[in-house]
Amino acid sequence: MTALTHHDLYGLEEYARIRPSFRARVMAHKDIRRLSLGDHVTLCFEDALTMQYQVQEMLRLERIYEAELIQDELDVYNPLIPDGHNWKATLMIEYDNVEERRAALARLIGIERRVWLQVAGFERVTPIANEDLERETPDKTAAVHFLRFELTPQMAAAAKAGAPLAAGVDHPQYKAECNPLPEPVRGSLVADLSET
């Protein structure tokens, strides 16, 4: 995967024109990159298209058109694009009830390090979490975390050759598993892996 540059982005006026169709395309793409783990944890696997959408929306919202400020946004979101030998995901902990969510975030400290992905026949891969900043305190975890799952060349080759993928959470207060991943999700993740 290649980092986004200014050339990958639409200007504000052009984006305003194409936004409905672009947004529909991105939402359909995100649907096959979303994985629920139990009732309250979701992994949203990121890639260049999902990050382009994030940048475009930030530029639109903030009315940013200066080159330096656009570069600032690219610098924030480019690290979330997989680079051919890893998968990157946004982990969301979701509870509709505010009090239930508050209690869960206090119970689930460290959950971001207990998520795993697995290529059949290999060890589970746990993520490197929140490389941008710390997202938990001694009292609670955050509702959103950013994860990077590094694969060995052998794991990537097996995934590309058709090996099933699985994912789960193994936290003392929250356990869930999806084995195997649905084919649309698996196929989308395999597309993130480089050919070499």
Side-chain angles (χ1 to χ4, degrees), residues 23-84:
R23 186 177 188 284
R25 177 177 151 225
V26 172
M27 292 305 112
H29 180 71
K30 282 186 168 198
D31 282 347
I32 62 169
R33 296 185 66 83
R34 183 176 293 117
L35 180 68
S36 295
L37 295 173
D39 294 332
H40 302 289
V41 171
T42 302
L43 288 177
C44 297
F45 291 96
E46 307 296 359
D47 68 359
L49 182 60
T50 66
M51 289 300 99
Q52 180 187 359
Y53 177 71
Q54 289 299 121
V55 172
Q56 294 285 177
E57 287 295 302
M58 288 303 298
L59 299 181
R60 175 182 174 272
L61 182 67
E62 301 291 331
R63 307 297 298 163
I64 296 172
Y65 57 88
E66 297 92 345
E68 314 81 51
L69 298 178
I70 292 171
Q71 188 60 51
D72 289 345
E73 294 299 325
L74 290 169
D75 291 345
V76 167
Y77 290 103
N78 270 330
L80 297 175
I81 299 173
D83 57 19

Side-chain angles (χ1 to χ4, degrees), residues 19 30 51 56 72 75 85 90 106 132 141 149 160 163 194:
R19 184 173 180 253
K30 282 186 168 198
M51 289 300 99
Q56 294 285 177
D72 289 345
D75 291 345
H85 55 79
T90 302
D132 58 342
T141 191
F149 297 89
K160 289 189 293 187
S194 65

Side-chain angles (χ1 to χ4, degrees), residues 59-128:
L59 299 181
R60 175 182 174 272
L61 182 67
E62 301 291 331
R63 307 297 298 163
I64 296 172
Y65 57 88
E66 297 92 345
E68 314 81 51
L69 298 178
I70 292 171
Q71 188 60 51
D72 289 345
E73 294 299 325
L74 290 169
D75 291 345
V76 167
Y77 290 103
N78 270 330
L80 297 175
I81 299 173
D83 57 19
H85 55 79
N86 54 35
W87 290 312
K88 297 186 180 180
T90 302
L91 166 69
M92 296 183 292
I93 303 168
E94 302 169 304
Y95 287 83
D96 292 334
N97 179 281
V98 173
E99 290 305 315
E100 190 179 4
R101 179 171 55 247
R102 185 175 294 123
L105 295 178
R107 280 194 322 272
L108 296 175
I109 293 172
I111 191 170
E112 71 277 10
R113 294 180 297 277
R114 305 301 293 266
V115 177
W116 54 268
L117 292 176
Q118 185 175 30
V119 178
F122 294 89
E123 295 292 317
R124 290 178 175 179
V125 177
T126 54
I128 299 161

